[in-house]
Amino acid sequence: MIESGIKKVGNDLVFSGVQPTGNLHLGNYLGAIKNWVDFQNSKKCIFCIVDLHAITVSENRKKLDEYSKEVAAAYIASGIEPKKSTIFVQSNVKGHSELAWILGCHTPIGWLNRMTQFKDKAGKNKEKAPLGLYSYPVLMAADILLYKSNFVPVGEDQKQHLELCRDIAQGFNRSYNTDFFPIPEPIITGAATRVMSLKDGKKKMSKSDPSDQSRINLTDSNDQIIKKIQRARTDSLPFPENNKSLEDRPEVENLINIFASISEKPSENIIKEYSGNDFKSFKQDLSDLLISKISKISNEMKKLLSDHVYLNSILSDGAKEAKEISEKNIKEIKKIIKFYI
Ligand code: TRP
């Protein structure tokens, strides 16, 4: 039975992570963190702040410590409870790098060459892209497999990396004739698994978009939220009448998905409620909803960020818990590979 305040142990392990890149936005919240909260009552949960992933991009290497605390605060402010879930910073637990190397030696380059995120991020000049950006998905597989995780809630864009993780786990198990690694299941749920830019419904909402108008930051003021939603791109057609009429209207679909996710109502209900109207009242209600949700989170984040002692203690306890599990697993992995120990 579910007992609050007691950390679960056992096989049903949930793992996920967010990169500390600063400027957390609605996409990070709706596409990831919000969907993790409910797992805490039924499963052992580990939520990581993936700073080793963040340093694969040079611009991220500036305020890592500050941004890591920001993610920790966002986790807690969004409802992740440190009493129930393990919250820690990836670089504090050396097993991640260690297993990434081991798994890298078991991953054919051909598999990595298929990763679309690398192609997008490396851009035209692949020769100049760092090795770490290329092997990023192997580190991600290591994060997940280090804890023998069973479920990984992620946004739509991480699906391919999860597939790779499953292939790596299966490949390892086959090579050593073992069933040591569970094959983790991606969990892609929620109405907004892909939160898009407010200016271009074909682009992901991103902190690196030069236009701040393209995203809602978790730290935006009420006024900023109202203006951004007012100016969010739609089109000249009337409000859709059903899901079908959303086809080829990515900006409208995105706003409806955001509304659905934040109000926890199915998008069909929202379409029914507003069809026949213009976008004005829909946008007003959407801003109201966002303001009530986001301002709660950002106020809580501010409080947490001013209490260094508390946040540090959460992260150091979390690292301790993560080490306990991971060190035991690393030992077993080394035995399987027949490292001299
Ligand atoms: N790559 C993920 C993202 O950008 C972050 C991440 C790193 C992650 N390691 C993970 C997510 C392990 C889930 C599980 O969103």
Side-chain angles (χ1 to χ4, degrees):
M1 262 323 283
I2 297 160
E3 272 179 85
S4 66
I6 302 216
K7 296 195 183 185
K8 305 286 173 306
V9 281
N11 297 336
D12 265 2
L13 198 144
V14 174
F15 184 98
S16 199
V18 165
Q19 296 188 50
T21 52
N23 259 343
L24 286 172
H25 54 72
L26 196 63
N28 301 118
Y29 175 65
L30 295 182
I33 309 171
K34 178 175 184 281
N35 306 311
W36 304 350
V37 176
D38 287 343
F39 289 114
Q40 294 177 106
N41 293 326
S42 57
K43 294 180 171 50
K44 164 80 194 154
C45 291
I46 303 181
F47 299 122
C48 187
I49 297 151
V50 288
D51 56 350
L52 297 173
H53 281 98
I55 63 166
T56 56
V57 172
S58 60
E59 297 94 83
N60 296 341
R61 295 172 202 148
K62 283 172 203 150
K63 297 182 183 165
L64 275 175
D65 50 355
E66 190 184 306
Y67 291 158
S68 291
K69 282 192 189 174
E70 189 186 341
V71 175
Y75 282 178
I76 300 168
S78 307
I80 307 285
E81 295 175 47
K83 282 211 172 72
K84 294 182 184 169
S85 299
T86 297
I87 302 174
F88 76 103
V89 177
Q90 188 184 29
S91 65
N92 288 173
V93 178
K94 61 182 193 293
H96 293 260
S97 317
E98 200 173 354
L99 185 56
W101 175 260
I102 292 174
L103 295 179
C105 294
H106 294 75
T107 307
I109 290 175
W111 292 1
L112 288 176
N113 286 341
R114 290 204 286 269
M115 297 296 112
T116 55
Q117 184 172 296
F118 174 74
K119 288 179 199 163
D120 293 346
K121 286 202 179 172
K124 285 202 187 90
N125 206 343
K126 280 208 196 79
E127 295 289 314
K128 286 223 167 112
L131 176 60
L133 188 65
Y134 184 66
S135 58
Y136 176 117
V138 178
L139 177 60
M140 180 163 162
D143 298 340
I144 296 165
L145 299 176
L146 183 58
Y147 301 92
K148 302 177 78 169
S149 312
N150 307 92
F151 301 104
V152 187
V154 280
E156 185 74 32
D157 63 317
Q158 295 299 311
K159 217 169 156 178
Q160 197 186 31
H161 289 163
L162 248 296
E163 274 303 317
L164 179 81
C165 174
R166 290 165 59 88
D167 288 343
I168 292 175
Q170 270 157 346
F172 183 96
N173 286 352
R174 224 179 299 116
S175 296
Y176 295 97
N177 198 14
T178 167
D179 56 3
F180 183 78
F181 288 130
I183 311 306
E185 294 286 337
I187 301 188
I188 299 171
T189 48
T193 50
R194 228 171 129 67
V195 180
M196 310 310 281
S197 154
L198 300 178
K199 291 283 161 198
D200 178 351
K202 291 200 179 77
K203 269 189 3 206
K204 226 178 99 172
M205 186 177 282
S206 156
K207 70 128 211 170
S208 49
D209 193 313
S211 164
D212 192 57
Q213 298 296 315
S214 69
R215 62 183 163 263
I216 305 274
N217 303 303
L218 293 188
T219 48
D220 278 347
S221 68
N222 296 357
D223 267 2
Q224 281 171 311
I225 294 176
I226 293 170
K227 289 215 179 85
K228 285 180 181 178
I229 294 297
Q230 256 170 9
R231 293 181 194 149
R233 190 163 152 194
T234 51
D235 51 34
S236 52
L237 299 171
F239 202 90
E241 283 175 359
N242 50 47
N243 264 332
K244 262 227 172 92
S245 49
L246 283 177
E247 268 168 38
D248 292 326
R249 302 181 70 184
E251 286 85 12
V252 175
E253 184 176 14
N254 185 41
L255 290 178
I256 292 176
N257 284 344
I258 292 174
F259 198 120
S261 174
I262 208 123
S263 64
E264 308 208 359
K265 284 187 199 159
S267 55
E268 298 84 64
N269 295 18
I270 292 150
I271 293 175
K272 245 186 240 152
E273 199 176 320
Y274 291 94
S275 71
N277 269 315
D278 56 17
F279 281 94
K280 202 169 159 215
S281 64
F282 168 81
K283 281 187 163 182
Q284 265 165 3
D285 293 349
L286 178 57
S287 326
D288 287 348
L289 274 172
L290 284 169
I291 286 168
S292 72
K293 196 79 201 177
I294 302 273
S295 64
K296 232 190 260 157
I297 295 176
S298 76
N299 289 339
E300 189 58 30
M301 277 175 71
K302 272 182 211 133
K303 255 193 252 160
L304 288 161
L305 285 169
S306 65
D307 191 347
H308 297 288
V309 177
Y310 174 71
L311 265 192
N312 288 341
S313 79
I314 298 296
L315 292 175
S316 107
D317 288 353
K320 237 184 255 159
E321 292 166 14
K323 276 182 204 157
E324 231 169 77
I325 307 174
S326 59
E327 282 170 10
K328 192 176 135 267
N329 287 342
I330 283 281
K331 241 188 214 153
E332 291 191 41
I333 293 164
K334 285 183 162 175
K335 265 194 224 153
I336 292 172
I337 305 181
K338 292 206 162 54
F339 274 120
Y340 172 75
I341 24 182

